[in-house]
Amino acid sequence: MKLSDEYIQKVVVSGKVEHNQTIVLKPYDENWSILFEREKQRISTILKDKALMIEHIGSTSVPGLIAKPIIDILLVVEDAGKEEDYVDDLVAHGYILRIKEPDFENHHMFLGPDTDIHLHVFSQDSKEIEKYLLFRNYLRNHQEAKEFYANTKKALAKKKWKYVQNYADAKSDVVQQIMDAARKEKQSN
């Protein structure tokens, strides 16, 4: 589903909204998993038992896959709509609330204090959790899907994008094909 310019502008609560350039992709870097572990430890220390799950997601979590050099992290809390449970604590430690989507499962996205990360916060009952993990795990275990996804990313990254979200939206058909294969495999097991 392509997000409208109006929606993108509405949900970005801090920082530059427009991108207006190509997407920079980097070869897989083993340091990405180290950076994730450091952030996981920091978030766990800050939120303690309020952090129900912290997972490395996105392309940087798939060994061998090219990616934007930004570590995507999934943080699951009891209720992402209860901002008082986590927002102030994260902000006090240098995280920057960048996106707030009350109409998309109360998704919140933070930038890191000193590392290029996107910390995606969802409630424990969000269906997005399974989607992120299923997609990541399928790419980790299926070389042909990883190559298909990488080739799509390379082709799209060459274009100039008004918003980074437009680049993500342009990958949605390929992501859906991979998700369909992942769900089919999961059902057959």
Side-chain angles (χ1 to χ4, degrees), residues 80-112:
K82 291 176 70 176
E83 294 181 351
E84 64 274 14
D85 286 352
Y86 64 94
V87 172
D88 290 344
D89 291 333
L90 290 170
V91 169
H93 287 85
Y95 291 86
I96 300 164
L97 180 59
R98 172 93 168 112
I99 293 174
K100 191 171 163 178
E101 293 183 280
D103 297 331
F104 177 60
E105 304 207 19
N106 278 312
H107 171 244
H108 290 65
M109 193 271 281
F110 293 81
L111 303 178

mmCIF file of all heavy atoms in Angstrom, residues 80-112:
data_model
loop_
_atom_site.group_PDB
_atom_site.id
_atom_site.type_symbol
_atom_site.label_atom_id
_atom_site.label_comp_id
_atom_site.label_asym_id
_atom_site.label_seq_id
_atom_site.Cartn_x
_atom_site.Cartn_y
_atom_site.Cartn_z
ATOM 1 N N ALA A 80 1.833 -0.042 22.914
ATOM 2 C CA ALA A 80 2.579 1.078 22.324
ATOM 3 C C ALA A 80 1.808 2.391 22.417
ATOM 4 O O ALA A 80 2.403 3.461 22.332
ATOM 5 C CB ALA A 80 2.932 0.766 20.865
ATOM 6 N N GLY A 81 0.506 2.325 22.609
ATOM 7 C CA GLY A 81 -0.300 3.530 22.773
ATOM 8 C C GLY A 81 -0.102 4.197 24.123
ATOM 9 O O GLY A 81 -0.409 5.376 24.292
ATOM 10 N N LYS A 82 0.434 3.454 25.092
ATOM 11 C CA LYS A 82 0.709 4.013 26.423
ATOM 12 C C LYS A 82 2.126 4.572 26.423
ATOM 13 O O LYS A 82 3.049 3.975 26.958
ATOM 14 C CB LYS A 82 0.521 2.936 27.496
ATOM 15 C CG LYS A 82 -0.926 2.512 27.677
ATOM 16 C CD LYS A 82 -1.068 1.386 28.676
ATOM 17 C CE LYS A 82 -0.771 1.881 30.072
ATOM 18 N NZ LYS A 82 -0.987 0.806 31.080
ATOM 19 N N GLU A 83 2.261 5.739 25.803
ATOM 20 C CA GLU A 83 3.576 6.352 25.626
ATOM 21 C C GLU A 83 4.304 6.592 26.947
ATOM 22 O O GLU A 83 5.534 6.558 27.001
ATOM 23 C CB GLU A 83 3.445 7.668 24.851
ATOM 24 C CG GLU A 83 2.974 7.473 23.435
ATOM 25 C CD GLU A 83 2.857 8.781 22.665
ATOM 26 O OE1 GLU A 83 2.983 9.868 23.265
ATOM 27 O OE2 GLU A 83 2.641 8.700 21.437
ATOM 28 N N GLU A 84 3.553 6.813 28.001
ATOM 29 C CA GLU A 84 4.178 7.076 29.301
ATOM 30 C C GLU A 84 5.017 5.895 29.797
ATOM 31 O O GLU A 84 5.879 6.051 30.651
ATOM 32 C CB GLU A 84 3.119 7.446 30.355
ATOM 33 C CG GLU A 84 2.120 6.348 30.693
ATOM 34 C CD GLU A 84 0.892 6.280 29.763
ATOM 35 O OE1 GLU A 84 0.905 6.913 28.683
ATOM 36 O OE2 GLU A 84 -0.067 5.569 30.125
ATOM 37 N N ASP A 85 4.801 4.727 29.224
ATOM 38 C CA ASP A 85 5.558 3.542 29.633
ATOM 39 C C ASP A 85 6.960 3.463 29.033
ATOM 40 O O ASP A 85 7.783 2.693 29.517
ATOM 41 C CB ASP A 85 4.805 2.259 29.244
ATOM 42 C CG ASP A 85 3.607 2.001 30.151
ATOM 43 O OD1 ASP A 85 3.442 2.707 31.162
ATOM 44 O OD2 ASP A 85 2.840 1.070 29.833
ATOM 45 N N TYR A 86 7.228 4.244 27.963
ATOM 46 C CA TYR A 86 8.536 4.083 27.320
ATOM 47 C C TYR A 86 9.086 5.328 26.622
ATOM 48 O O TYR A 86 10.302 5.491 26.531
ATOM 49 C CB TYR A 86 8.497 2.923 26.304
ATOM 50 C CG TYR A 86 7.557 3.149 25.146
ATOM 51 C CD1 TYR A 86 8.020 3.685 23.948
ATOM 52 C CD2 TYR A 86 6.199 2.852 25.249
ATOM 53 C CE1 TYR A 86 7.164 3.904 22.885
ATOM 54 C CE2 TYR A 86 5.338 3.076 24.189
ATOM 55 C CZ TYR A 86 5.822 3.602 23.016
ATOM 56 O OH TYR A 86 4.976 3.826 21.966
ATOM 57 N N VAL A 87 8.253 6.215 26.117
ATOM 58 C CA VAL A 87 8.748 7.337 25.314
ATOM 59 C C VAL A 87 9.697 8.225 26.109
ATOM 60 O O VAL A 87 10.823 8.491 25.683
ATOM 61 C CB VAL A 87 7.587 8.167 24.705
ATOM 62 C CG1 VAL A 87 8.120 9.448 24.048
ATOM 63 C CG2 VAL A 87 6.821 7.336 23.683
ATOM 64 N N ASP A 88 9.259 8.702 27.272
ATOM 65 C CA ASP A 88 10.107 9.612 28.058
ATOM 66 C C ASP A 88 11.420 8.964 28.456
ATOM 67 O O ASP A 88 12.468 9.620 28.450
ATOM 68 C CB ASP A 88 9.364 10.111 29.300
ATOM 69 C CG ASP A 88 8.234 11.082 28.955
ATOM 70 O OD1 ASP A 88 8.214 11.602 27.820
ATOM 71 O OD2 ASP A 88 7.380 11.322 29.832
ATOM 72 N N ASP A 89 11.374 7.680 28.815
ATOM 73 C CA ASP A 89 12.602 6.976 29.200
ATOM 74 C C ASP A 89 13.584 6.903 28.039
ATOM 75 O O ASP A 89 14.786 7.134 28.212
ATOM 76 C CB ASP A 89 12.290 5.562 29.694
ATOM 77 C CG ASP A 89 11.556 5.558 31.027
ATOM 78 O OD1 ASP A 89 11.718 6.522 31.806
ATOM 79 O OD2 ASP A 89 10.824 4.586 31.293
ATOM 80 N N LEU A 90 13.099 6.584 26.855
ATOM 81 C CA LEU A 90 13.976 6.510 25.682
ATOM 82 C C LEU A 90 14.523 7.893 25.319
ATOM 83 O O LEU A 90 15.723 8.056 25.064
ATOM 84 C CB LEU A 90 13.244 5.883 24.497
ATOM 85 C CG LEU A 90 12.942 4.386 24.614
ATOM 86 C CD1 LEU A 90 12.010 3.937 23.500
ATOM 87 C CD2 LEU A 90 14.223 3.564 24.604
ATOM 88 N N VAL A 91 13.648 8.896 25.312
ATOM 89 C CA VAL A 91 14.060 10.262 24.965
ATOM 90 C C VAL A 91 15.102 10.776 25.967
ATOM 91 O O VAL A 91 16.084 11.413 25.580
ATOM 92 C CB VAL A 91 12.831 11.198 24.874
ATOM 93 C CG1 VAL A 91 13.243 12.662 24.788
ATOM 94 C CG2 VAL A 91 11.963 10.817 23.667
ATOM 95 N N ALA A 92 14.923 10.460 27.238
ATOM 96 C CA ALA A 92 15.882 10.896 28.266
ATOM 97 C C ALA A 92 17.274 10.312 28.035
ATOM 98 O O ALA A 92 18.267 10.869 28.507
ATOM 99 C CB ALA A 92 15.370 10.507 29.658
ATOM 100 N N HIS A 93 17.342 9.212 27.295
ATOM 101 C CA HIS A 93 18.626 8.571 26.994
ATOM 102 C C HIS A 93 19.099 8.861 25.566
ATOM 103 O O HIS A 93 19.950 8.156 25.028
ATOM 104 C CB HIS A 93 18.540 7.063 27.248
ATOM 105 C CG HIS A 93 18.507 6.741 28.705
ATOM 106 N ND1 HIS A 93 17.345 6.739 29.430
ATOM 107 C CD2 HIS A 93 19.516 6.454 29.575
ATOM 108 C CE1 HIS A 93 17.619 6.443 30.685
ATOM 109 N NE2 HIS A 93 18.934 6.276 30.805
ATOM 110 N N GLY A 94 18.527 9.891 24.946
ATOM 111 C CA GLY A 94 19.023 10.354 23.658
ATOM 112 C C GLY A 94 18.308 9.841 22.427
ATOM 113 O O GLY A 94 18.642 10.237 21.303
ATOM 114 N N TYR A 95 17.333 8.956 22.589
ATOM 115 C CA TYR A 95 16.563 8.501 21.434
ATOM 116 C C TYR A 95 15.626 9.629 20.996
ATOM 117 O O TYR A 95 15.136 10.391 21.829
ATOM 118 C CB TYR A 95 15.767 7.234 21.770
ATOM 119 C CG TYR A 95 16.651 6.026 21.969
ATOM 120 C CD1 TYR A 95 17.231 5.760 23.210
ATOM 121 C CD2 TYR A 95 16.932 5.167 20.920
ATOM 122 C CE1 TYR A 95 18.062 4.674 23.389
ATOM 123 C CE2 TYR A 95 17.760 4.075 21.089
ATOM 124 C CZ TYR A 95 18.323 3.831 22.329
ATOM 125 O OH TYR A 95 19.147 2.754 22.496
ATOM 126 N N ILE A 96 15.392 9.718 19.701
ATOM 127 C CA ILE A 96 14.571 10.796 19.153
ATOM 128 C C ILE A 96 13.326 10.198 18.517
ATOM 129 O O ILE A 96 13.426 9.383 17.595
ATOM 130 C CB ILE A 96 15.362 11.594 18.089
ATOM 131 C CG1 ILE A 96 16.613 12.204 18.717
ATOM 132 C CG2 ILE A 96 14.484 12.664 17.441
ATOM 133 C CD1 ILE A 96 17.637 12.673 17.698
ATOM 134 N N LEU A 97 12.166 10.589 19.036
ATOM 135 C CA LEU A 97 10.907 10.129 18.443
ATOM 136 C C LEU A 97 10.762 10.774 17.070
ATOM 137 O O LEU A 97 10.716 11.991 16.943
ATOM 138 C CB LEU A 97 9.719 10.491 19.330
ATOM 139 C CG LEU A 97 8.345 10.056 18.813
ATOM 140 C CD1 LEU A 97 8.273 8.546 18.625
ATOM 141 C CD2 LEU A 97 7.249 10.532 19.755
ATOM 142 N N ARG A 98 10.741 9.964 16.039
ATOM 143 C CA ARG A 98 10.712 10.454 14.657
ATOM 144 C C ARG A 98 9.341 10.297 14.016
ATOM 145 O O ARG A 98 8.855 11.172 13.331
ATOM 146 C CB ARG A 98 11.754 9.677 13.844
ATOM 147 C CG ARG A 98 11.727 9.919 12.361
ATOM 148 C CD ARG A 98 12.683 11.016 11.963
ATOM 149 N NE ARG A 98 12.836 11.023 10.511
ATOM 150 C CZ ARG A 98 12.388 11.991 9.744
ATOM 151 N NH1 ARG A 98 11.803 13.042 10.253
ATOM 152 N NH2 ARG A 98 12.558 11.940 8.440
ATOM 153 N N ILE A 99 8.706 9.133 14.254
ATOM 154 C CA ILE A 99 7.418 8.833 13.619
ATOM 155 C C ILE A 99 6.454 8.303 14.659
ATOM 156 O O ILE A 99 6.818 7.512 15.525
ATOM 157 C CB ILE A 99 7.595 7.794 12.482
ATOM 158 C CG1 ILE A 99 8.412 8.405 11.342
ATOM 159 C CG2 ILE A 99 6.248 7.282 11.971
ATOM 160 C CD1 ILE A 99 8.766 7.434 10.235
ATOM 161 N N LYS A 100 5.218 8.764 14.521
ATOM 162 C CA LYS A 100 4.147 8.338 15.423
ATOM 163 C C LYS A 100 2.934 8.042 14.557
ATOM 164 O O LYS A 100 2.419 8.938 13.889
ATOM 165 C CB LYS A 100 3.882 9.484 16.395
ATOM 166 C CG LYS A 100 3.026 9.185 17.543
ATOM 167 C CD LYS A 100 3.100 10.400 18.469
ATOM 168 C CE LYS A 100 1.987 10.401 19.447
ATOM 169 N NZ LYS A 100 2.096 11.536 20.371
ATOM 170 N N GLU A 101 2.498 6.769 14.549
ATOM 171 C CA GLU A 101 1.380 6.356 13.698
ATOM 172 C C GLU A 101 0.269 5.719 14.542
ATOM 173 O O GLU A 101 0.158 4.501 14.618
ATOM 174 C CB GLU A 101 1.853 5.345 12.648
ATOM 175 C CG GLU A 101 2.806 5.913 11.633
ATOM 176 C CD GLU A 101 3.183 4.883 10.592
ATOM 177 O OE1 GLU A 101 4.060 4.039 10.887
ATOM 178 O OE2 GLU A 101 2.605 4.919 9.489
ATOM 179 N N PRO A 102 -0.580 6.533 15.140
ATOM 180 C CA PRO A 102 -1.657 5.970 15.963
ATOM 181 C C PRO A 102 -2.624 5.096 15.174
ATOM 182 O O PRO A 102 -3.211 4.161 15.722
ATOM 183 C CB PRO A 102 -2.357 7.201 16.539
ATOM 184 C CG PRO A 102 -1.893 8.356 15.731
ATOM 185 C CD PRO A 102 -0.583 7.981 15.120
ATOM 186 N N ASP A 103 -2.754 5.362 13.872
ATOM 187 C CA ASP A 103 -3.683 4.591 13.039
ATOM 188 C C ASP A 103 -3.047 3.335 12.440
ATOM 189 O O ASP A 103 -3.717 2.597 11.716
ATOM 190 C CB ASP A 103 -4.247 5.464 11.919
ATOM 191 C CG ASP A 103 -5.057 6.635 12.470
ATOM 192 O OD1 ASP A 103 -5.638 6.483 13.564
ATOM 193 O OD2 ASP A 103 -5.089 7.693 11.825
ATOM 194 N N PHE A 104 -1.757 3.107 12.713
ATOM 195 C CA PHE A 104 -1.081 1.898 12.246
ATOM 196 C C PHE A 104 -0.524 1.160 13.470
ATOM 197 O O PHE A 104 0.648 1.199 13.780
ATOM 198 C CB PHE A 104 0.029 2.230 11.245
ATOM 199 C CG PHE A 104 0.819 1.022 10.790
ATOM 200 C CD1 PHE A 104 0.202 -0.033 10.147
ATOM 201 C CD2 PHE A 104 2.181 0.950 11.022
ATOM 202 C CE1 PHE A 104 0.925 -1.150 9.746
ATOM 203 C CE2 PHE A 104 2.922 -0.162 10.618
ATOM 204 C CZ PHE A 104 2.291 -1.207 9.978
ATOM 205 N N GLU A 105 -1.440 0.581 14.212
ATOM 206 C CA GLU A 105 -1.104 -0.229 15.385
ATOM 207 C C GLU A 105 -0.240 0.522 16.398
ATOM 208 O O GLU A 105 0.615 -0.061 17.056
ATOM 209 C CB GLU A 105 -0.431 -1.532 14.946
ATOM 210 C CG GLU A 105 -1.306 -2.298 13.975
ATOM 211 C CD GLU A 105 -1.064 -3.776 13.988
ATOM 212 O OE1 GLU A 105 -0.500 -4.298 14.954
ATOM 213 O OE2 GLU A 105 -1.472 -4.422 13.017
ATOM 214 N N ASN A 106 -0.463 1.825 16.505
ATOM 215 C CA ASN A 106 0.305 2.665 17.429
ATOM 216 C C ASN A 106 1.814 2.551 17.231
ATOM 217 O O ASN A 106 2.587 2.651 18.181
ATOM 218 C CB ASN A 106 -0.066 2.374 18.886
ATOM 219 C CG ASN A 106 -1.313 3.106 19.291
ATOM 220 O OD1 ASN A 106 -1.443 4.301 19.038
ATOM 221 N ND2 ASN A 106 -2.260 2.395 19.886
ATOM 222 N N HIS A 107 2.225 2.347 15.987
ATOM 223 C CA HIS A 107 3.653 2.261 15.668
ATOM 224 C C HIS A 107 4.347 3.581 16.012
ATOM 225 O O HIS A 107 3.862 4.658 15.680
ATOM 226 C CB HIS A 107 3.823 1.961 14.173
ATOM 227 C CG HIS A 107 5.227 2.055 13.684
ATOM 228 N ND1 HIS A 107 5.614 2.987 12.751
ATOM 229 C CD2 HIS A 107 6.346 1.345 13.991
ATOM 230 C CE1 HIS A 107 6.905 2.838 12.484
ATOM 231 N NE2 HIS A 107 7.372 1.855 13.226
ATOM 232 N N HIS A 108 5.467 3.464 16.705
ATOM 233 C CA HIS A 108 6.344 4.595 16.987
ATOM 234 C C HIS A 108 7.722 4.217 16.464
ATOM 235 O O HIS A 108 8.132 3.067 16.587
ATOM 236 C CB HIS A 108 6.440 4.850 18.493
ATOM 237 C CG HIS A 108 5.185 5.382 19.104
ATOM 238 N ND1 HIS A 108 4.014 4.679 19.165
ATOM 239 C CD2 HIS A 108 4.930 6.572 19.696
ATOM 240 C CE1 HIS A 108 3.084 5.403 19.776
ATOM 241 N NE2 HIS A 108 3.626 6.564 20.107
ATOM 242 N N MET A 109 8.439 5.196 15.906
ATOM 243 C CA MET A 109 9.791 4.909 15.439
ATOM 244 C C MET A 109 10.727 5.982 15.976
ATOM 245 O O MET A 109 10.439 7.176 15.879
ATOM 246 C CB MET A 109 9.853 4.869 13.915
ATOM 247 C CG MET A 109 11.149 4.284 13.357
ATOM 248 S SD MET A 109 12.439 5.487 13.100
ATOM 249 C CE MET A 109 11.908 6.225 11.572
ATOM 250 N N PHE A 110 11.824 5.515 16.558
ATOM 251 C CA PHE A 110 12.832 6.397 17.138
ATOM 252 C C PHE A 110 14.135 6.268 16.367
ATOM 253 O O PHE A 110 14.463 5.200 15.842
ATOM 254 C CB PHE A 110 13.129 5.985 18.588
ATOM 255 C CG PHE A 110 12.002 6.174 19.542
ATOM 256 C CD1 PHE A 110 10.976 5.243 19.635
ATOM 257 C CD2 PHE A 110 11.963 7.285 20.379
ATOM 258 C CE1 PHE A 110 9.935 5.403 20.527
ATOM 259 C CE2 PHE A 110 10.924 7.456 21.293
ATOM 260 C CZ PHE A 110 9.906 6.510 21.361
ATOM 261 N N LEU A 111 14.906 7.355 16.361
ATOM 262 C CA LEU A 111 16.283 7.334 15.893
ATOM 263 C C LEU A 111 17.167 7.121 17.114
ATOM 264 O O LEU A 111 16.786 7.486 18.232
ATOM 265 C CB LEU A 111 16.642 8.653 15.211
ATOM 266 C CG LEU A 111 15.761 9.061 14.027
ATOM 267 C CD1 LEU A 111 16.197 10.422 13.488
ATOM 268 C CD2 LEU A 111 15.802 8.015 12.938
ATOM 269 N N GLY A 112 18.338 6.571 16.893
ATOM 270 C CA GLY A 112 19.232 6.277 18.004
ATOM 271 C C GLY A 112 20.010 7.488 18.479
ATOM 272 O O GLY A 112 20.168 8.465 17.744
#
